[in-house]
């Protein structure tokens, strides 16, 4: 038996969790919002909504995009998004440790 959690950060509404985190990781890796969305099986419009939601809820851009042209467009995550993702990693680790400890104490004999 094991426990899994999904950590979502909300402001006026939910705006950051595993999906947005993964999308930004792929943008960082692939240099493109479109390619990142395709890698996750998301539509481009859904990915754009996730990025827009991040900006609406934090007041900061998550990515910087350059429009396509001969070489195609590109995207990079912003410094704000990098810091936000790092803090999310730390929060997730701390939360996992605490929850796993409590889960083990409560369900060890179940």
């Amino acid at each position: 038996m094991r426990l899994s959690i999904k950590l979502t950060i909300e402001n006026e509404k939910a705006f950051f969790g595993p999906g947005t985190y993964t999308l930004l990781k792929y943008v960082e890796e692939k240099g493109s919002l479109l390619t990142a969305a395709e890698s996750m099986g998301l539509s481009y419009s859904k990915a754009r909504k996730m990025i827009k939601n991040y900006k609406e809820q934090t007041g900061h851009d998550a990515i910087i995009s350059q429009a396509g042209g001969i070489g195609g467009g590109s995207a990079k995550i912003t410094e704000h998004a990098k810091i936000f993702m790092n803090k999310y990693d730390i929060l997730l680790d701390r939360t996992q440790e605490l929850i796993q400890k409590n889960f083990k104490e409560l369900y060890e004999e179940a």
Side-chain angles (χ1 to χ4, degrees):
M1 188 168 21
R2 68 183 187 95
L3 175 70
S4 75
I5 61 167
K6 176 183 169 185
L7 187 64
T8 303
I9 300 174
E10 299 179 3
N11 196 4
E12 294 169 0
K13 60 183 178 179
F15 71 94
F16 196 88
T20 304
Y21 179 90
T22 302
L23 179 63
L24 291 175
K25 278 289 200 190
Y26 278 127
V27 168
E28 184 175 41
E29 178 185 312
K30 300 183 181 303
S32 162
L33 182 59
L34 176 61
T35 306
E38 289 172 347
S39 297
M40 293 178 65
L42 292 175
S43 68
Y44 182 66
S45 63
K46 172 66 176 171
R48 288 188 48 88
K49 285 179 189 174
M50 292 166 73
I51 297 302
K52 181 181 176 193
N53 193 27
Y54 178 95
K55 182 174 183 170
E56 288 174 350
Q57 298 302 310
T58 66
H60 297 274
D61 288 316
I63 63 171
I64 298 169
S65 298
Q66 185 170 355
I70 294 173
S74 66
K76 296 190 302 189
I77 65 172
T78 62
E79 192 62 30
H80 184 273
K82 288 178 187 178
I83 292 168
F84 203 91
M85 291 168 69
N86 187 46
K87 289 180 179 182
Y88 183 82
D89 278 332
I90 293 167
L91 182 61
L92 189 57
D93 286 345
R94 290 180 184 176
T95 304
Q96 284 279 15
E97 288 174 17
L98 182 61
I99 289 176
Q100 293 299 338
K101 178 182 176 246
N102 283 288
F103 178 75
K104 187 175 182 178
E105 287 174 7
L106 293 169
Y107 289 94
E108 194 167 73
E109 297 177 17

